[in-house]
């Protein structure tokens, strides 16, 4: 590692937001390093891009790649929602501006974006865990550990793209504020190109204990998930049996869902909508999920991560050129985007709570309503 080099910008986290921001900054002529704790990208099951993602995909030159590469994405024609009523309502994306949506292979997308960043001149350091950081004489020193031991990188500016853990921002005093607890218990199959092709639709169903989705993605990879507020259902030792019990109370999920729950790979993650109380500070900025994460029902997370990365890179570029308000303006836009998404949750949760007056929905509805009224 080039310990003596001073980077213009150091980005922590090589997910979509981090890779896009790093590439955009390198294309401005800046010397950029990209740290990633994992040696290989980890999948995020059932990732979806809806028509609201088309502008940012077009801006990044990804639209044609997504439409042409069946291993990266497959078209999504519609959503079947069994939400306020037992009978599902089908919503076709052709009726939306842009008229297109996709199920994304998250690993393939991250590999594509990191490759673009490297071609733009970004130096990538995989397998590096941040252990500490300090600032002196306007330069950051970021300590990391890897299989090769301890190392230190120096940079004029640091970017937190570490996801909802907000690895850098929380070390610098920012606090993560959660709207409510939401846990996702995912099940995913291995790719199977010989499996009979499933309809290109996403199924979403509300139940008494939370809500489900099920979708068939690239290379015929099947995914389903239960979103719930009950930690007992998400415990690794009990997740599969909890899913099997809960799935018996669904009516609209695809036929393959139960067998997938029996045999697929189960993974539990925190999916709570949350945000940083301040996503910027002296010499640093947070982007993507590190700045704000969205309720998955909004289908906004990945599109926002890409847009936040572009916006953040622009703010950093302006800041380094002496723009005194670029960072604060980015923080304001980030907060406005998150609060706008939360305002949309109220009617969604209200519809489900009317059908299911259970603890899960009754606990979440007042929180969404209070946030909506404060805006």
């Amino acid at each position: 590692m080039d310990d003596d080099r001073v980077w213009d910008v150091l980005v922590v986290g090589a997910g979509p937001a981090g890779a896009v921001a790093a590439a955009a900054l390198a294309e401005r002529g800046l010397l950029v390093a990209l740290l990633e704790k994992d040696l290989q990208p980890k999948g995020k099951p059932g990732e979806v891009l809806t028509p609201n993602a088309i502008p940012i995909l077009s801006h990044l030159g990804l639209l044609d790649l997504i439409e042409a590469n069946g291993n990266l994405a497959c078209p999504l024609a519609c959503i079947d929602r069994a939400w306020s009523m037992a009978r599902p309502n089908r919503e076709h994306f052709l009726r939306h501006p842009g008229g297109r949506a996709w199920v994304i292979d998250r690993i393939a997308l991250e590999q594509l974006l990191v490759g673009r960043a490297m071609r733009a001149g970004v130096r990538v350091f995989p397998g590096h865990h941040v252990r500490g950081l300090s600032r002196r004489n306007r330069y950051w020193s970021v300590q990391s550990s890897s299989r090769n031991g301890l190392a230190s990188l120096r940079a004029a500016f640091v970017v937190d793209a570490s996801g909802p853990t907000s690895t850098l921002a929380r070390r610098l005093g920012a606090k993560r504020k959660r709207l409510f607890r939401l846990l996702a218990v995912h099940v995913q199959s291995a790719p199977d190109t010989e499996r009979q092709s499933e309809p290109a639709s996403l199924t979403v169903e509300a139940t008494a204990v939370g809500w489900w989705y099920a979708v068939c993605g690239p290379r015929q990879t099947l995914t389903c998930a239960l979103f719930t507020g009950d930690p007992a259902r998400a415990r690794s030792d009990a997740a599969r049996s909890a899913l099997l019990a809960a799935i018996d109370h669904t009516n609209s999920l695809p036929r393959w869902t139960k067998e997938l729950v029996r045999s697929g790979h189960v993974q539990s993650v925190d999916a709570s909508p949350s945000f940083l109380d301040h996503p910027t500070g002296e010499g640093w900025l947070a982007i993507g999920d590190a700045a704000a994460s969205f309720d998955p029902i909004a289908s906004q997370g990945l599109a926002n991560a890409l847009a936040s990365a572009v916006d953040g890179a622009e703010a950093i570029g302006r800041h380094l050129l002496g723009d005194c308000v670029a960072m604060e303006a980015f923080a304001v836009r980030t907060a406005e985007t998150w609060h706008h998404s939360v305002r949309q949750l109220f009617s969604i949760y209200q519809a489900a709570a009317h059908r299911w007056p259970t603890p899960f929905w009754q606990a979440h509805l007042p929180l969404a309503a209070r946030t909506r009224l404060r805006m």
Side-chain angles (χ1 to χ4, degrees):
M1 179 179 287
D2 302 322
D3 288 352
D4 296 332
R5 181 178 295 188
V6 178
W7 303 89
D8 294 317
V9 183
L10 188 150
V11 181
V12 174
V20 166
L25 291 164
E27 288 166 358
R28 287 174 168 265
L30 298 173
L31 193 62
V32 182
L34 178 60
L35 263 65
E36 170 53 47
K37 62 183 177 62
D38 297 316
L39 289 170
Q40 296 292 333
K42 292 183 177 180
K44 193 171 182 180
E47 198 81 66
V48 169
L49 287 170
T50 54
N52 66 355
I54 289 176
I56 188 61
L57 293 174
S58 179
H59 174 81
L60 292 171
L62 294 173
L63 199 53
D64 290 342
L65 289 173
I66 284 176
E67 293 192 319
N69 188 340
N71 291 324
L72 174 62
C74 64
L76 183 63
C78 59
I79 299 179
D80 291 323
R81 285 194 181 93
W83 200 257
S84 58
M85 297 181 294
R87 184 177 180 178
N89 175 60
R90 174 160 288 188
E91 178 185 353
H92 290 274
F93 287 115
L94 284 173
R95 297 173 182 170
H96 291 254
R100 289 165 290 175
W102 304 266
V103 186
I104 299 293
D105 183 319
R106 177 65 175 258
I107 292 177
L109 178 65
E110 291 191 9
Q111 290 172 335
L112 170 68
L113 295 175
V114 170
R116 280 186 156 198
M118 293 174 68
R119 290 192 294 275
V122 175
R123 176 77 181 275
V124 180
F125 297 97
H128 279 260
H129 295 255
V130 172
R131 299 304 183 192
L133 77 161
S134 57
R135 196 166 191 247
R136 184 179 180 184
N137 297 330
R138 298 174 60 187
Y139 286 95
W140 294 98
S141 176
V142 178
Q143 293 76 46
S144 68
S145 63
S146 69
R147 292 187 302 184
N148 298 322
L150 299 176
S152 180
L153 287 170
R154 295 181 67 215
F157 199 99
V158 293
V159 177
D160 190 342
S162 62
T165 57
S166 302
T167 300
L168 295 184
R170 291 193 298 115
R171 288 177 180 268
L172 295 170
K175 299 191 183 310
R176 195 88 190 181
K177 296 187 175 183
R178 185 172 67 186
L179 180 62
F180 49 68
R181 169 181 277 181
L182 188 65
L183 304 170
V185 188
H186 294 277
V187 189
Q188 189 169 50
S189 73
D192 184 358
T193 54
E194 295 183 1
R195 183 184 289 122
Q196 183 177 356
S197 179
E198 296 291 332
S201 65
L202 169 67
T203 302
V204 179
E205 181 171 355
T207 69
V209 298
W211 60 275
W212 289 81
Y213 81 74
V215 71
C216 180
R219 296 180 294 158
Q220 296 301 301
T221 302
L222 305 177
T223 300
C224 73
L226 171 64
F227 292 85
T228 181
D230 184 358
R233 297 179 187 274
R235 287 203 324 261
S236 58
D237 60 338
R240 194 183 304 276
S241 59
L243 287 180
L244 286 170
I247 205 169
D248 286 336
H249 299 281
T250 63
N251 300 307
S252 303
L253 297 179
R255 290 189 300 272
W256 48 259
T257 310
K258 193 163 190 175
E259 179 56 36
L260 174 63
V261 171
R262 288 196 184 101
S263 60
H265 173 67
V266 179
Q267 174 187 0
S268 299
V269 298
D270 189 341
S272 306
S274 61
F275 68 102
L276 287 177
D277 59 354
H278 56 281
T280 65
E282 187 65 34
W284 69 272
L285 178 148
I287 58 175
D289 283 356
S293 58
F294 298 79
D295 191 315
I297 197 64
S299 298
Q300 191 174 347
L302 181 53
N304 179 76
L306 299 174
S308 174
V310 172
D311 192 18
E314 177 70 17
I316 294 167
R318 290 179 177 274
H319 171 75
L320 294 176
L321 291 174
D323 188 332
C324 298
V325 300
M327 299 274 283
E328 181 59 29
F330 170 81
V332 170
R333 289 191 296 272
T334 299
E336 288 177 344
T337 299
W338 190 83
H339 287 305
H340 175 77
S341 177
V342 169
R343 286 196 295 271
Q344 313 311 308
L345 292 179
F346 177 73
S347 60
I348 296 172
Y349 277 83
Q350 186 180 46
H354 180 74
R355 179 185 173 201
W356 298 105
T358 56
F360 174 83
W361 297 105
Q362 296 300 319
H364 290 67
L365 185 59
L367 294 169
R370 285 202 299 269
T371 305
R372 178 173 179 255
L373 291 172
R374 285 201 300 266
M375 297 304 101

